[in-house]
PDB file of all heavy atoms in Angstrom:
ATOM      1  N   GLU A 109      52.629   8.051  39.528  1.00 89.00           N
ATOM      2  CA  GLU A 109      52.136   7.076  38.618  1.00 89.00           C
ATOM      3  C   GLU A 109      53.193   6.438  37.835  1.00 89.00           C
ATOM      4  O   GLU A 109      54.348   6.971  37.641  1.00 89.00           O
ATOM      5  CB  GLU A 109      51.053   7.683  37.735  1.00 89.00           C
ATOM      6  CG  GLU A 109      51.536   8.578  36.712  1.00 89.00           C
ATOM      7  CD  GLU A 109      50.574   9.278  35.756  1.00 89.00           C
ATOM      8  OE1 GLU A 109      49.311   9.299  36.164  1.00 89.00           O
ATOM      9  OE2 GLU A 109      50.914   9.469  34.560  1.00 89.00           O
ATOM     10  N   TYR A 110      52.985   5.183  37.324  1.00 90.00           N
ATOM     11  CA  TYR A 110      53.969   4.505  36.544  1.00 90.00           C
ATOM     12  C   TYR A 110      53.724   4.860  35.127  1.00 90.00           C
ATOM     13  O   TYR A 110      52.686   4.949  34.591  1.00 90.00           O
ATOM     14  CB  TYR A 110      53.831   3.022  36.764  1.00 90.00           C
ATOM     15  CG  TYR A 110      54.220   2.539  38.129  1.00 90.00           C
ATOM     16  CD1 TYR A 110      53.299   2.359  39.204  1.00 90.00           C
ATOM     17  CD2 TYR A 110      55.655   2.284  38.317  1.00 90.00           C
ATOM     18  CE1 TYR A 110      53.814   1.998  40.525  1.00 90.00           C
ATOM     19  CE2 TYR A 110      56.139   1.942  39.569  1.00 90.00           C
ATOM     20  CZ  TYR A 110      55.220   1.629  40.565  1.00 90.00           C
ATOM     21  OH  TYR A 110      55.534   1.368  41.899  1.00 90.00           O
ATOM     22  N   THR A 111      54.912   4.908  34.402  1.00 92.00           N
ATOM     23  CA  THR A 111      54.688   5.262  32.866  1.00 92.00           C
ATOM     24  C   THR A 111      55.797   4.394  32.151  1.00 92.00           C
ATOM     25  O   THR A 111      56.829   3.928  32.894  1.00 92.00           O
ATOM     26  CB  THR A 111      54.896   6.731  32.702  1.00 92.00           C
ATOM     27  OG1 THR A 111      55.661   6.923  31.480  1.00 92.00           O
ATOM     28  CG2 THR A 111      55.420   7.414  33.777  1.00 92.00           C
ATOM     29  N   CYS A 112      55.562   4.245  30.855  1.00 93.00           N
ATOM     30  CA  CYS A 112      56.452   3.497  30.082  1.00 93.00           C
ATOM     31  C   CYS A 112      57.038   4.344  28.937  1.00 93.00           C
ATOM     32  O   CYS A 112      56.278   5.399  28.605  1.00 93.00           O
ATOM     33  CB  CYS A 112      55.782   2.220  29.418  1.00 93.00           C
ATOM     34  SG  CYS A 112      55.282   1.060  30.621  1.00 93.00           S
ATOM     35  N   ALA A 113      58.080   4.103  28.348  1.00 90.00           N
ATOM     36  CA  ALA A 113      58.644   4.737  27.213  1.00 90.00           C
ATOM     37  C   ALA A 113      57.747   4.609  25.933  1.00 90.00           C
ATOM     38  O   ALA A 113      56.928   3.652  25.986  1.00 90.00           O
ATOM     39  CB  ALA A 113      60.022   4.176  26.785  1.00 90.00           C
ATOM     40  N   LYS A 114      57.821   5.415  25.071  1.00 91.00           N
ATOM     41  CA  LYS A 114      57.040   5.431  23.862  1.00 91.00           C
ATOM     42  C   LYS A 114      57.087   4.115  23.197  1.00 91.00           C
ATOM     43  O   LYS A 114      58.141   3.627  23.022  1.00 91.00           O
ATOM     44  CB  LYS A 114      57.406   6.619  23.054  1.00 91.00           C
ATOM     45  CG  LYS A 114      56.466   6.746  21.896  1.00 91.00           C
ATOM     46  CD  LYS A 114      56.784   8.059  20.983  1.00 91.00           C
ATOM     47  CE  LYS A 114      55.827   8.031  19.793  1.00 91.00           C
ATOM     48  NZ  LYS A 114      56.053   9.282  19.017  1.00 91.00           N
ATOM     49  N   GLY A 115      55.978   3.520  22.797  1.00 89.00           N
ATOM     50  CA  GLY A 115      55.948   2.271  22.101  1.00 89.00           C
ATOM     51  C   GLY A 115      55.862   1.029  23.026  1.00 89.00           C
ATOM     52  O   GLY A 115      55.510  -0.091  22.552  1.00 89.00           O
ATOM     53  N   ALA A 116      55.941   1.315  24.334  1.00 93.00           N
ATOM     54  CA  ALA A 116      55.775   0.276  25.224  1.00 93.00           C
ATOM     55  C   ALA A 116      54.264   0.285  25.852  1.00 93.00           C
ATOM     56  O   ALA A 116      53.651   1.256  25.965  1.00 93.00           O
ATOM     57  CB  ALA A 116      56.810   0.205  26.373  1.00 93.00           C
ATOM     58  N   THR A 117      53.853  -0.864  26.401  1.00 93.00           N
ATOM     59  CA  THR A 117      52.556  -0.895  27.027  1.00 93.00           C
ATOM     60  C   THR A 117      52.657  -1.160  28.482  1.00 93.00           C
ATOM     61  O   THR A 117      53.525  -2.025  28.918  1.00 93.00           O
ATOM     62  CB  THR A 117      51.823  -2.135  26.223  1.00 93.00           C
ATOM     63  OG1 THR A 117      51.675  -2.004  24.929  1.00 93.00           O
ATOM     64  CG2 THR A 117      50.373  -2.145  26.849  1.00 93.00           C
ATOM     65  N   LEU A 118      51.963  -0.335  29.283  1.00 93.00           N
ATOM     66  CA  LEU A 118      51.994  -0.474  30.712  1.00 93.00           C
ATOM     67  C   LEU A 118      50.988  -1.487  31.144  1.00 93.00           C
ATOM     68  O   LEU A 118      49.876  -1.494  30.762  1.00 93.00           O
ATOM     69  CB  LEU A 118      51.636   0.873  31.395  1.00 93.00           C
ATOM     70  CG  LEU A 118      51.750   0.935  32.819  1.00 93.00           C
ATOM     71  CD1 LEU A 118      53.101   0.647  33.479  1.00 93.00           C
ATOM     72  CD2 LEU A 118      51.152   2.282  33.334  1.00 93.00           C
ATOM     73  N   SER A 119      51.498  -2.451  32.051  1.00 92.00           N
ATOM     74  CA  SER A 119      50.640  -3.443  32.626  1.00 92.00           C
ATOM     75  C   SER A 119      51.082  -3.423  34.235  1.00 92.00           C
ATOM     76  O   SER A 119      52.102  -4.096  34.441  1.00 92.00           O
ATOM     77  CB  SER A 119      50.751  -4.765  32.069  1.00 92.00           C
ATOM     78  OG  SER A 119      49.975  -5.718  32.617  1.00 92.00           O
ATOM     79  N   GLY A 120      50.336  -2.747  34.946  1.00 91.00           N
ATOM     80  CA  GLY A 120      50.697  -2.800  36.470  1.00 91.00           C
ATOM     81  C   GLY A 120      52.009  -1.907  36.604  1.00 91.00           C
ATOM     82  O   GLY A 120      51.978  -0.739  36.171  1.00 91.00           O
ATOM     83  N   GLN A 121      53.064  -2.530  37.092  1.00 92.00           N
ATOM     84  CA  GLN A 121      54.312  -1.704  37.203  1.00 92.00           C
ATOM     85  C   GLN A 121      55.294  -2.201  36.245  1.00 92.00           C
ATOM     86  O   GLN A 121      56.539  -1.930  36.448  1.00 92.00           O
ATOM     87  CB  GLN A 121      54.748  -2.141  38.648  1.00 92.00           C
ATOM     88  CG  GLN A 121      53.885  -1.587  39.697  1.00 92.00           C
ATOM     89  CD  GLN A 121      54.426  -1.958  41.112  1.00 92.00           C
ATOM     90  OE1 GLN A 121      55.583  -2.478  41.251  1.00 92.00           O
ATOM     91  NE2 GLN A 121      53.681  -1.557  42.139  1.00 92.00           N
ATOM     92  N   THR A 122      54.847  -3.020  35.096  1.00 94.00           N
ATOM     93  CA  THR A 122      55.753  -3.529  34.094  1.00 94.00           C
ATOM     94  C   THR A 122      55.476  -3.016  32.843  1.00 94.00           C
ATOM     95  O   THR A 122      54.260  -2.927  32.292  1.00 94.00           O
ATOM     96  CB  THR A 122      55.571  -5.127  33.997  1.00 94.00           C
ATOM     97  OG1 THR A 122      55.875  -5.547  35.347  1.00 94.00           O
ATOM     98  CG2 THR A 122      56.573  -5.649  33.061  1.00 94.00           C
ATOM     99  N   CYS A 123      56.477  -2.766  31.973  1.00 96.00           N
ATOM    100  CA  CYS A 123      56.296  -2.199  30.632  1.00 96.00           C
ATOM    101  C   CYS A 123      56.632  -3.417  29.724  1.00 96.00           C
ATOM    102  O   CYS A 123      57.645  -4.073  29.948  1.00 96.00           O
ATOM    103  CB  CYS A 123      57.180  -1.079  30.300  1.00 96.00           C
ATOM    104  SG  CYS A 123      56.996   0.377  31.271  1.00 96.00           S
ATOM    105  N   THR A 124      55.865  -3.528  28.609  1.00 96.00           N
ATOM    106  CA  THR A 124      56.080  -4.572  27.658  1.00 96.00           C
ATOM    107  C   THR A 124      56.211  -3.926  26.231  1.00 96.00           C
ATOM    108  O   THR A 124      55.412  -3.093  25.923  1.00 96.00           O
ATOM    109  CB  THR A 124      54.950  -5.639  27.658  1.00 96.00           C
ATOM    110  OG1 THR A 124      54.769  -6.192  28.948  1.00 96.00           O
ATOM    111  CG2 THR A 124      55.193  -6.764  26.711  1.00 96.00           C
ATOM    112  N   LYS A 125      57.388  -4.262  25.506  1.00 95.00           N
ATOM    113  CA  LYS A 125      57.530  -3.667  24.251  1.00 95.00           C
ATOM    114  C   LYS A 125      57.693  -4.837  23.205  1.00 95.00           C
ATOM    115  O   LYS A 125      58.493  -5.757  23.569  1.00 95.00           O
ATOM    116  CB  LYS A 125      58.787  -2.803  24.216  1.00 95.00           C
ATOM    117  CG  LYS A 125      59.066  -2.097  22.882  1.00 95.00           C
ATOM    118  CD  LYS A 125      60.075  -1.094  22.853  1.00 95.00           C
ATOM    119  CE  LYS A 125      60.290  -0.435  21.595  1.00 95.00           C
ATOM    120  NZ  LYS A 125      61.363   0.507  21.474  1.00 95.00           N
ATOM    121  N   THR A 126      56.952  -4.838  22.258  1.00 92.00           N
ATOM    122  CA  THR A 126      56.881  -5.998  21.162  1.00 92.00           C
ATOM    123  C   THR A 126      57.503  -5.284  19.949  1.00 92.00           C
ATOM    124  O   THR A 126      57.098  -4.283  19.471  1.00 92.00           O
ATOM    125  CB  THR A 126      55.413  -6.393  20.842  1.00 92.00           C
ATOM    126  OG1 THR A 126      54.934  -7.011  22.195  1.00 92.00           O
ATOM    127  CG2 THR A 126      55.505  -7.553  19.875  1.00 92.00           C
ATOM    128  N   SER A 127      58.516  -6.028  19.318  1.00 90.00           N
ATOM    129  CA  SER A 127      59.079  -5.549  18.069  1.00 90.00           C
ATOM    130  C   SER A 127      59.248  -6.772  17.118  1.00 90.00           C
ATOM    131  O   SER A 127      59.223  -7.886  17.484  1.00 90.00           O
ATOM    132  CB  SER A 127      60.527  -5.020  18.435  1.00 90.00           C
ATOM    133  OG  SER A 127      61.270  -6.010  18.816  1.00 90.00           O
ATOM    134  N   THR A 128      58.997  -6.429  15.785  1.00 91.00           N
ATOM    135  CA  THR A 128      59.154  -7.527  14.882  1.00 91.00           C
ATOM    136  C   THR A 128      60.259  -7.225  13.955  1.00 91.00           C
ATOM    137  O   THR A 128      60.564  -5.948  13.620  1.00 91.00           O
ATOM    138  CB  THR A 128      57.856  -7.601  13.999  1.00 91.00           C
ATOM    139  OG1 THR A 128      57.514  -6.350  13.403  1.00 91.00           O
ATOM    140  CG2 THR A 128      56.723  -8.072  14.885  1.00 91.00           C
ATOM    141  N   SER A 129      60.848  -8.218  13.423  1.00 92.00           N
ATOM    142  CA  SER A 129      62.057  -7.996  12.410  1.00 92.00           C
ATOM    143  C   SER A 129      61.922  -9.221  11.531  1.00 92.00           C
ATOM    144  O   SER A 129      61.462 -10.250  11.783  1.00 92.00           O
ATOM    145  CB  SER A 129      63.384  -7.839  13.282  1.00 92.00           C
ATOM    146  OG  SER A 129      63.678  -9.069  13.837  1.00 92.00           O
ATOM    147  N   MET A 130      62.502  -8.954  10.351  1.00 92.00           N
ATOM    148  CA  MET A 130      62.669  -9.976   9.257  1.00 92.00           C
ATOM    149  C   MET A 130      63.961 -10.677   9.552  1.00 92.00           C
ATOM    150  O   MET A 130      65.021  -9.926   9.666  1.00 92.00           O
ATOM    151  CB  MET A 130      62.539  -9.399   7.833  1.00 92.00           C
ATOM    152  CG  MET A 130      61.109  -8.767   7.606  1.00 92.00           C
ATOM    153  SD  MET A 130      59.753  -9.979   7.747  1.00 92.00           S
ATOM    154  CE  MET A 130      59.906 -10.934   6.216  1.00 92.00           C
ATOM    155  N   VAL A 131      63.943 -12.020   9.359  1.00 91.00           N
ATOM    156  CA  VAL A 131      65.230 -12.717   9.518  1.00 91.00           C
ATOM    157  C   VAL A 131      65.350 -13.595   8.318  1.00 91.00           C
ATOM    158  O   VAL A 131      64.352 -14.033   7.732  1.00 91.00           O
ATOM    159  CB  VAL A 131      65.410 -13.546  10.852  1.00 91.00           C
ATOM    160  CG1 VAL A 131      65.484 -12.585  12.009  1.00 91.00           C
ATOM    161  CG2 VAL A 131      64.117 -14.455  10.952  1.00 91.00           C
ATOM    162  N   ALA A 132      66.440 -14.074   7.967  1.00 90.00           N
ATOM    163  CA  ALA A 132      66.717 -14.844   6.713  1.00 90.00           C
ATOM    164  C   ALA A 132      66.156 -16.313   7.007  1.00 90.00           C
ATOM    165  O   ALA A 132      66.173 -16.904   8.151  1.00 90.00           O
ATOM    166  CB  ALA A 132      68.153 -14.835   6.402  1.00 90.00           C
ATOM    167  N   TYR A 133      65.910 -16.968   5.876  1.00 90.00           N
ATOM    168  CA  TYR A 133      65.474 -18.369   5.816  1.00 90.00           C
ATOM    169  C   TYR A 133      66.768 -19.208   6.282  1.00 90.00           C
ATOM    170  O   TYR A 133      67.997 -18.890   5.947  1.00 90.00           O
ATOM    171  CB  TYR A 133      65.033 -18.955   4.488  1.00 90.00           C
ATOM    172  CG  TYR A 133      63.650 -18.507   4.126  1.00 90.00           C
ATOM    173  CD1 TYR A 133      63.411 -17.689   3.097  1.00 90.00           C
ATOM    174  CD2 TYR A 133      62.579 -19.137   4.826  1.00 90.00           C
ATOM    175  CE1 TYR A 133      62.037 -17.359   2.840  1.00 90.00           C
ATOM    176  CE2 TYR A 133      61.245 -18.840   4.453  1.00 90.00           C
ATOM    177  CZ  TYR A 133      60.998 -17.858   3.508  1.00 90.00           C
ATOM    178  OH  TYR A 133      59.764 -17.720   3.019  1.00 90.00           O
ATOM    179  N   GLU A 134      66.582 -20.406   6.993  1.00 92.00           N
ATOM    180  CA  GLU A 134      67.677 -21.254   7.167  1.00 92.00           C
ATOM    181  C   GLU A 134      67.619 -22.352   6.140  1.00 92.00           C
ATOM    182  O   GLU A 134      66.473 -22.708   5.733  1.00 92.00           O
ATOM    183  CB  GLU A 134      67.638 -21.949   8.512  1.00 92.00           C
ATOM    184  CG  GLU A 134      67.801 -21.037   9.709  1.00 92.00           C
ATOM    185  CD  GLU A 134      67.624 -21.815  11.023  1.00 92.00           C
ATOM    186  OE1 GLU A 134      66.932 -22.711  11.122  1.00 92.00           O
ATOM    187  OE2 GLU A 134      68.166 -21.188  11.976  1.00 92.00           O
TER     188      GLU A 134
END
Side-chain angles (χ1 to χ4, degrees):
E109 68 178 28
Y110 286 97
T111 139
C112 294
K114 186 176 180 176
T117 305
L118 178 63
S119 175
Q121 297 176 7
T122 304
C123 296
T124 306
K125 184 174 182 181
T126 302
S127 63
T128 58
S129 61
M130 295 301 283
V131 293
Y133 282 114
E134 292 178 340

